[in-house]
Amino acid sequence: MPATTYAVSGMSCGHCKATLTKAIGELDGVSGVDVDLDTGHVTVTTATEPDDALIAETVDEAGYKLTGRA
């Protein structure tokens, strides 16, 4: 399964981590989400190539900013 790492700004605490893990984890095809607050990276594991636009939209709706692939 492919794992894709994204740079996300605005994350600073455990609540941020939990919010993004839940929001991204609910997307179809996502089997895992790992949020690293220290680096500002979110690694998403999917069954197929991820939909970057959908993930960016989900991150934005949660109140953060996806700035691209890391």
Side-chain angles (χ1 to χ4, degrees):
M1 288 191 210
T4 306
T5 302
Y6 299 95
V8 177
S9 62
M11 304 183 302
S12 61
C13 64
H15 179 265
C16 300
K17 183 174 182 171
T19 298
L20 283 174
T21 299
K22 182 178 187 305
I24 297 169
E26 291 177 345
L27 297 174
D28 286 341
V30 173
S31 60
V33 180
D34 180 48
V35 177
D36 187 331
L37 296 174
D38 292 332
T39 63
H41 291 164
V42 177
T43 302
V44 180
T45 304
T46 54
T48 60
E49 187 65 24
D51 182 342
D52 290 346
L54 179 58
I55 292 173
E57 180 181 333
T58 301
V59 168
D60 289 349
E61 287 177 359
Y64 307 95
K65 179 72 177 161
L66 189 149
T67 57
R69 288 191 180 201

